[in-house]
Amino acid sequence: MYDKVTNELTAKSEAFTIPLLNVYSDDVWIQLDSSSSYLPYIANRISNKNFKGAYNVHFKGAKHLSLTDLPLFSPILANLLQGGKADIDKYYAIETQNELILRFFDYALKNQGQFAPKATY
């Protein structure tokens, strides 16, 4: 939620009522497990009671831009922007993400099938 007074984003203190799929790279996944309360993703913690219905998946070996198609068409730029090459295969990352998101949308929006993703890919 955006606070116009402080010009900051803050987490709502009420539970999400719509299905939510969070996809994380290594950098953010590590932050979710940190004990610090001054992290940008603190509200996304899996232990957050407001996220009880959320699905959380982690792409091991992924850097932030691994979760986009940039490494497919400009790997040099992706590596430059994210501080090095990711350990995850770029094709595996994008194809697996596409499959997950499609299954999630089929389940959440069309009420088709089941959605039970693994925690880590």
Side-chain angles (χ1 to χ4, degrees), residues 19 55 102-115:
Y55 297 94
L102 180 60
R103 285 190 359 236
F104 175 73
F105 283 167
D106 283 346
Y107 171 76
L109 301 176
K110 296 180 181 178
N111 294 319
Q112 294 177 350
Q114 297 179 342
F115 187 70

mmCIF file of all heavy atoms in Angstrom, residues 19 55 102-115:
data_model
loop_
_atom_site.group_PDB
_atom_site.id
_atom_site.type_symbol
_atom_site.label_atom_id
_atom_site.label_comp_id
_atom_site.label_asym_id
_atom_site.label_seq_id
_atom_site.Cartn_x
_atom_site.Cartn_y
_atom_site.Cartn_z
ATOM 1 N N PRO A 19 -6.061 -15.058 -4.599
ATOM 2 C CA PRO A 19 -4.901 -15.936 -4.714
ATOM 3 C C PRO A 19 -3.648 -15.150 -5.079
ATOM 4 O O PRO A 19 -3.703 -14.191 -5.853
ATOM 5 C CB PRO A 19 -5.283 -16.887 -5.854
ATOM 6 C CG PRO A 19 -6.765 -16.825 -5.924
ATOM 7 C CD PRO A 19 -7.142 -15.430 -5.503
ATOM 8 N N TYR A 55 0.994 -18.696 -2.400
ATOM 9 C CA TYR A 55 1.920 -19.721 -2.874
ATOM 10 C C TYR A 55 3.271 -19.044 -3.064
ATOM 11 O O TYR A 55 3.363 -17.980 -3.668
ATOM 12 C CB TYR A 55 1.446 -20.311 -4.201
ATOM 13 C CG TYR A 55 0.125 -21.015 -4.095
ATOM 14 C CD1 TYR A 55 -1.064 -20.345 -4.377
ATOM 15 C CD2 TYR A 55 0.061 -22.345 -3.705
ATOM 16 C CE1 TYR A 55 -2.283 -20.994 -4.273
ATOM 17 C CE2 TYR A 55 -1.161 -22.997 -3.603
ATOM 18 C CZ TYR A 55 -2.324 -22.316 -3.889
ATOM 19 O OH TYR A 55 -3.527 -22.957 -3.783
ATOM 20 N N LEU A 102 0.954 -20.372 -15.747
ATOM 21 C CA LEU A 102 -0.216 -20.852 -16.486
ATOM 22 C C LEU A 102 -1.085 -21.748 -15.612
ATOM 23 O O LEU A 102 -2.306 -21.592 -15.556
ATOM 24 C CB LEU A 102 0.217 -21.592 -17.745
ATOM 25 C CG LEU A 102 -0.908 -22.151 -18.612
ATOM 26 C CD1 LEU A 102 -1.827 -21.042 -19.103
ATOM 27 C CD2 LEU A 102 -0.340 -22.948 -19.781
ATOM 28 N N ARG A 103 -0.446 -22.689 -14.898
ATOM 29 C CA ARG A 103 -1.212 -23.572 -13.995
ATOM 30 C C ARG A 103 -1.878 -22.772 -12.882
ATOM 31 O O ARG A 103 -3.016 -23.054 -12.499
ATOM 32 C CB ARG A 103 -0.294 -24.646 -13.406
ATOM 33 C CG ARG A 103 0.051 -25.726 -14.393
ATOM 34 C CD ARG A 103 0.760 -26.948 -13.811
ATOM 35 N NE ARG A 103 1.038 -26.935 -12.402
ATOM 36 C CZ ARG A 103 2.243 -27.099 -11.863
ATOM 37 N NH1 ARG A 103 3.295 -27.273 -12.614
ATOM 38 N NH2 ARG A 103 2.405 -27.099 -10.556
ATOM 39 N N PHE A 104 -1.170 -21.769 -12.359
ATOM 40 C CA PHE A 104 -1.738 -20.928 -11.308
ATOM 41 C C PHE A 104 -2.956 -20.157 -11.832
ATOM 42 O O PHE A 104 -3.999 -20.112 -11.179
ATOM 43 C CB PHE A 104 -0.689 -19.955 -10.772
ATOM 44 C CG PHE A 104 -1.228 -18.975 -9.760
ATOM 45 C CD1 PHE A 104 -1.552 -19.396 -8.477
ATOM 46 C CD2 PHE A 104 -1.417 -17.645 -10.089
ATOM 47 C CE1 PHE A 104 -2.056 -18.511 -7.534
ATOM 48 C CE2 PHE A 104 -1.912 -16.748 -9.156
ATOM 49 C CZ PHE A 104 -2.239 -17.184 -7.880
ATOM 50 N N PHE A 105 -2.840 -19.569 -13.013
ATOM 51 C CA PHE A 105 -3.971 -18.830 -13.591
ATOM 52 C C PHE A 105 -5.141 -19.753 -13.896
ATOM 53 O O PHE A 105 -6.296 -19.396 -13.668
ATOM 54 C CB PHE A 105 -3.548 -18.074 -14.852
ATOM 55 C CG PHE A 105 -2.785 -16.814 -14.585
ATOM 56 C CD1 PHE A 105 -2.114 -16.180 -15.613
ATOM 57 C CD2 PHE A 105 -2.735 -16.235 -13.326
ATOM 58 C CE1 PHE A 105 -1.415 -15.002 -15.385
ATOM 59 C CE2 PHE A 105 -2.045 -15.058 -13.085
ATOM 60 C CZ PHE A 105 -1.384 -14.442 -14.121
ATOM 61 N N ASP A 106 -4.859 -20.943 -14.434
ATOM 62 C CA ASP A 106 -5.941 -21.901 -14.691
ATOM 63 C C ASP A 106 -6.677 -22.229 -13.400
ATOM 64 O O ASP A 106 -7.911 -22.252 -13.360
ATOM 65 C CB ASP A 106 -5.399 -23.184 -15.319
ATOM 66 C CG ASP A 106 -5.070 -23.028 -16.790
ATOM 67 O OD1 ASP A 106 -5.494 -22.024 -17.406
ATOM 68 O OD2 ASP A 106 -4.369 -23.912 -17.331
ATOM 69 N N TYR A 107 -5.921 -22.469 -12.337
ATOM 70 C CA TYR A 107 -6.503 -22.803 -11.035
ATOM 71 C C TYR A 107 -7.242 -21.618 -10.415
ATOM 72 O O TYR A 107 -8.398 -21.735 -10.010
ATOM 73 C CB TYR A 107 -5.393 -23.297 -10.102
ATOM 74 C CG TYR A 107 -5.830 -23.458 -8.671
ATOM 75 C CD1 TYR A 107 -6.606 -24.543 -8.283
ATOM 76 C CD2 TYR A 107 -5.472 -22.527 -7.705
ATOM 77 C CE1 TYR A 107 -7.016 -24.697 -6.968
ATOM 78 C CE2 TYR A 107 -5.877 -22.673 -6.384
ATOM 79 C CZ TYR A 107 -6.646 -23.745 -6.017
ATOM 80 O OH TYR A 107 -7.050 -23.879 -4.720
ATOM 81 N N ALA A 108 -6.581 -20.472 -10.343
ATOM 82 C CA ALA A 108 -7.126 -19.318 -9.616
ATOM 83 C C ALA A 108 -8.189 -18.545 -10.395
ATOM 84 O O ALA A 108 -9.131 -18.037 -9.799
ATOM 85 C CB ALA A 108 -5.994 -18.367 -9.228
ATOM 86 N N LEU A 109 -8.040 -18.465 -11.699
ATOM 87 C CA LEU A 109 -8.971 -17.653 -12.490
ATOM 88 C C LEU A 109 -10.049 -18.459 -13.200
ATOM 89 O O LEU A 109 -11.160 -17.976 -13.387
ATOM 90 C CB LEU A 109 -8.195 -16.825 -13.524
ATOM 91 C CG LEU A 109 -7.147 -15.871 -12.961
ATOM 92 C CD1 LEU A 109 -6.382 -15.198 -14.080
ATOM 93 C CD2 LEU A 109 -7.789 -14.849 -12.043
ATOM 94 N N LYS A 110 -9.704 -19.680 -13.599
ATOM 95 C CA LYS A 110 -10.659 -20.503 -14.342
ATOM 96 C C LYS A 110 -11.240 -21.639 -13.526
ATOM 97 O O LYS A 110 -12.067 -22.398 -14.030
ATOM 98 C CB LYS A 110 -9.969 -21.093 -15.578
ATOM 99 C CG LYS A 110 -9.501 -20.068 -16.587
ATOM 100 C CD LYS A 110 -8.830 -20.789 -17.747
ATOM 101 C CE LYS A 110 -8.320 -19.845 -18.790
ATOM 102 N NZ LYS A 110 -7.639 -20.584 -19.884
ATOM 103 N N ASN A 111 -10.760 -21.791 -12.276
ATOM 104 C CA ASN A 111 -11.193 -22.901 -11.417
ATOM 105 C C ASN A 111 -10.977 -24.254 -12.085
ATOM 106 O O ASN A 111 -11.817 -25.144 -12.012
ATOM 107 C CB ASN A 111 -12.662 -22.746 -11.013
ATOM 108 C CG ASN A 111 -12.869 -21.548 -10.130
ATOM 109 O OD1 ASN A 111 -12.067 -21.283 -9.241
ATOM 110 N ND2 ASN A 111 -13.925 -20.799 -10.379
ATOM 111 N N GLN A 112 -9.826 -24.408 -12.766
ATOM 112 C CA GLN A 112 -9.511 -25.641 -13.456
ATOM 113 C C GLN A 112 -8.300 -26.302 -12.807
ATOM 114 O O GLN A 112 -7.273 -25.663 -12.594
ATOM 115 C CB GLN A 112 -9.174 -25.381 -14.931
ATOM 116 C CG GLN A 112 -10.321 -24.879 -15.741
ATOM 117 C CD GLN A 112 -9.913 -24.570 -17.176
ATOM 118 O OE1 GLN A 112 -8.750 -24.558 -17.523
ATOM 119 N NE2 GLN A 112 -10.909 -24.286 -18.003
ATOM 120 N N GLY A 113 -8.418 -27.561 -12.504
ATOM 121 C CA GLY A 113 -7.290 -28.325 -11.995
ATOM 122 C C GLY A 113 -6.915 -27.964 -10.572
ATOM 123 O O GLY A 113 -7.671 -27.341 -9.844
ATOM 124 N N GLN A 114 -5.715 -28.411 -10.197
ATOM 125 C CA GLN A 114 -5.173 -28.141 -8.877
ATOM 126 C C GLN A 114 -3.865 -27.399 -9.034
ATOM 127 O O GLN A 114 -3.217 -27.470 -10.074
ATOM 128 C CB GLN A 114 -4.947 -29.446 -8.123
ATOM 129 C CG GLN A 114 -6.203 -30.228 -7.853
ATOM 130 C CD GLN A 114 -5.907 -31.529 -7.132
ATOM 131 O OE1 GLN A 114 -4.782 -32.009 -7.115
ATOM 132 N NE2 GLN A 114 -6.931 -32.110 -6.548
ATOM 133 N N PHE A 115 -3.455 -26.733 -7.975
ATOM 134 C CA PHE A 115 -2.181 -26.032 -7.989
ATOM 135 C C PHE A 115 -1.451 -26.343 -6.700
ATOM 136 O O PHE A 115 -1.855 -25.924 -5.628
ATOM 137 C CB PHE A 115 -2.388 -24.519 -8.140
ATOM 138 C CG PHE A 115 -1.106 -23.766 -8.330
ATOM 139 C CD1 PHE A 115 -0.394 -23.894 -9.511
ATOM 140 C CD2 PHE A 115 -0.609 -22.950 -7.343
ATOM 141 C CE1 PHE A 115 0.796 -23.211 -9.702
ATOM 142 C CE2 PHE A 115 0.566 -22.254 -7.519
ATOM 143 C CZ PHE A 115 1.281 -22.381 -8.709
#
